[in-house]
Amino acid sequence: MILVTGGAGFIGANFVLDWLAASQEPVINLDKLTYAGNLETLTSLQGDARHIFVQGDIGDSALVSRLLTEHQPRAVINFAAESHVDRSIHGPGDFIQTNIVGTFHLLEAARGYWGDLQGEARAAFRFLHVSTDEVYGSLGPGDAAFTETHRYEPNSPYSASKAASDHLVRAWHHTYGLPVITTNCSNNYGPYHFPEKLIPLMIVNALAGKTLPVYGDGMQVRDWLYVKDHCSAIRRVLEAGKLCETYNVGGWNEKPNIEIVHTVCALLDELRPKADGTSYKTQISYVKDRPGHDRRYAIDARKLESELGWKPVETFESGIRKTVQWYLTNPGWVANVQSGAYREWVQTQYAGQEAA
Ligand code: NAD
Ligand code: DAU
């Protein structure tokens, strides 16, 4: 049995689905179901006794302690977080609360549980914290990619809150001996990605005939990894990662944002051509930049590759094609996540941004 937190979100849900497709080991899935949590993603697990879903907060120590004692998991994998940089700029409070205070309570509950374990169960227990490359800050054009020893230089409320949580996780090992491992991954994309993030937003806006808002000059660089490759990296780290080590996860796929948007448009032109014969690219609109926008992220994943033998399966070309195809064949999922709360966010973030 493993305990996954945030398993109704984008990466957590992909992880739970992939885990149960490959293993009989049950999962307790603790998720608060914020705007980003969506049980519809997990519909295929309805009636599956290996998946126990619990709606709740990682900051609720009593609940987490009860779940740990009752189910005796061999690992906690912490995906739960507020994850969207733009939202952290509009309202950092929830990021401090979940990403820092919530992680603190989760660590304390795990410490209490692990402290009572004996023998093999105690030796085998792991707390795997899922983090981000954004904790390392921004790179210049010629800088080497982030290694695990790059110093922490977070620039947004989101990345600062994730950096703080990484430090707590590290300290709980050094001070209390809690068996932790941290992963720092680059930008994910793939199925079930909430359409507030770049790639799914571009797909759903393009199909709806709306503008494709590119921040600033569109030359910011992100390093993209197909979500299922991130999930396989986490499984491998859980299986063979060394205690208190950190592992960078990335796919060696650095791309400027405008190239990503052009690729999405080209795939849509091919797979769902517009009736008037024009390209989706005509919908691109450069808008005001994100405040404090990090210019470039790049992950050096050699430690994970050489020490644990992990490699991504998808290239960017194969992964982005699968992703666009997934959104074309799942319009119902997209329609259902575009709730009142989603529409309110789009209004707050993009209103009056047409002219950059
Ligand atoms: P997401 O926003 O899609 O999902 C987050 C999930 O956590 C949601 O289901 C939400 O309901 C749940 N949640 C939020 N607050 C909670 C709380 N207090 N208690 C319990 N559940 C709570 O995020 P994601 O993109 O799936 O990211 C998952 C993790 O991976 C995050 O920790 C994020 O920092 C990290 N990460 C994300 C990316 C990426 O590109 N998306 C890359 C690297 C690392
Ligand atoms: O690097 C890992 C991080 O990647 C994760 O830790 C975060 O949880 C995840 O949200 C993601 O952060 P980004 O800020 O890089 O992702 P986002 O999809 O919001 O933006 C990607 C790039 O696209 C970024 O440079 C901003 C730009 N952008 C984004 C949106 C939503 C646009 O130009 N227009 C947009 O409308």
Side-chain angles (χ1 to χ4, degrees):
M1 170 79 81
I2 57 168
L3 170 62
V4 165
T5 72
F10 165 48
I11 306 172
N14 272 289
F15 181 84
V16 169
L17 291 169
D18 288 1
W19 181 273
L20 292 175
S23 151
Q24 290 307 315
E25 188 175 9
V27 176
I28 322 160
N29 184 350
L30 172 66
D31 195 296
K32 190 176 172 182
L33 294 183
T34 66
Y35 78 93
N38 183 9
L39 281 182
E40 198 182 332
T41 306
L42 301 165
T43 311
S44 62
L45 299 177
Q46 258 170 18
D48 189 329
R50 297 171 305 159
H51 180 237
I52 302 162
F53 182 79
V54 179
Q55 182 171 5
D57 195 319
I58 56 166
D60 182 345
S61 324
L63 170 66
V64 178
S65 297
R66 181 173 64 70
L67 291 174
L68 290 169
T69 311
E70 210 171 287
H71 297 284
Q72 300 279 306
R74 68 174 173 99
V76 172
I77 305 171
N78 183 29
F79 292 94
E82 289 293 336
S83 70
H84 190 33
V85 173
D86 292 321
R87 284 186 190 255
S88 83
I89 294 166
H90 285 275
D94 287 346
F95 290 71
I96 305 304
Q97 205 51 46
T98 284
N99 300 0
I100 306 179
V101 182
T103 302
F104 157 68
H105 286 298
L106 186 66
L107 282 164
E108 278 294 79
R111 178 164 78 95
Y113 166 69
W114 171 75
D116 288 340
L117 291 176
Q118 304 291 329
E120 289 230 334
R122 185 180 165 88
F125 183 76
R126 295 288 180 272
F127 184 103
L128 198 159
H129 180 61
V130 179
S131 192
T132 169
D133 60 359
E134 298 202 13
V135 297
Y136 300 124
S138 187
L139 292 169
D143 291 344
F146 301 129
T147 62
E148 288 78 0
T149 53
H150 196 282
R151 74 183 225 202
Y152 272 37
E153 289 178 324
N155 292 319
S156 72
Y158 163 69
S159 54
S161 69
K162 289 296 291 187
S165 71
D166 293 8
H167 291 323
L168 291 176
V169 169
R170 178 189 161 88
W172 258 240
H173 175 76
H174 280 275
T175 305
Y176 305 114
L178 189 70
V180 306
I181 309 181
T182 297
T183 54
N184 293 88
C185 189
S186 60
N187 283 60
N188 285 212
Y189 67 99
Y192 306 112
H193 203 182
F194 195 74
E196 64 184 354
K197 307 281 172 67
L198 180 72
I199 289 179
L201 183 81
M202 294 301 144
I203 300 171
V204 305
N205 273 16
L207 292 171
K210 295 183 180 162
T211 56
L212 309 179
V214 173
Y215 297 164
D217 63 2
M219 290 307 291
Q220 302 82 8
V221 171
R222 296 293 182 266
D223 188 350
W224 295 92
L225 182 68
Y226 192 62
V227 63
K228 288 179 182 303
D229 283 323
H230 186 189
C231 294
S232 75
I234 292 170
R235 291 197 300 275
R236 183 65 192 139
V237 169
L238 181 64
E239 188 175 57
K242 290 198 197 119
L243 284 191
C244 202
E245 290 287 323
T246 64
Y247 294 91
N248 282 354
V249 187
W252 307 98
N253 278 312
E254 281 187 63
K255 309 245 180 242
N257 293 337
I258 191 63
E259 190 181 322
I260 297 288
V261 178
H262 282 162
T263 302
V264 166
C265 289
L267 282 165
L268 287 172
D269 287 340
E270 175 197 328
L271 299 168
R272 184 67 58 84
K274 288 213 272 185
D276 66 5
T278 62
S279 167
Y280 288 97
K281 284 184 193 161
T282 59
Q283 292 167 226
I284 292 172
S285 164
Y286 287 90
V287 300
K288 202 166 129 254
D289 208 352
R290 172 186 279 175
H293 200 170
D294 285 338
R295 196 68 183 164
R296 174 177 167 237
Y297 304 142
I299 275 281
D300 183 332
R302 278 178 295 179
K303 177 176 172 184
L304 178 58
E305 291 169 358
S306 63
E307 290 185 15
L308 302 187
W310 172 84
K311 277 257 182 281
V313 168
E314 302 294 341
T315 62
F316 184 72
E317 289 64 34
S318 64
I320 192 70
R321 180 172 282 275
K322 281 186 181 173
T323 303
V324 171
Q325 275 165 337
W326 187 87
Y327 279 87
L328 287 173
T329 47
N330 290 278
W333 184 92
V334 174
N336 289 343
V337 297
Q338 292 176 310
S339 64
Y342 173 79
R343 282 197 293 275
E344 244 168 63
W345 162 252
V346 170
Q347 180 61 23
T348 312
Q349 172 65 4
Y350 298 99
Q353 279 216 4
E354 291 303 300

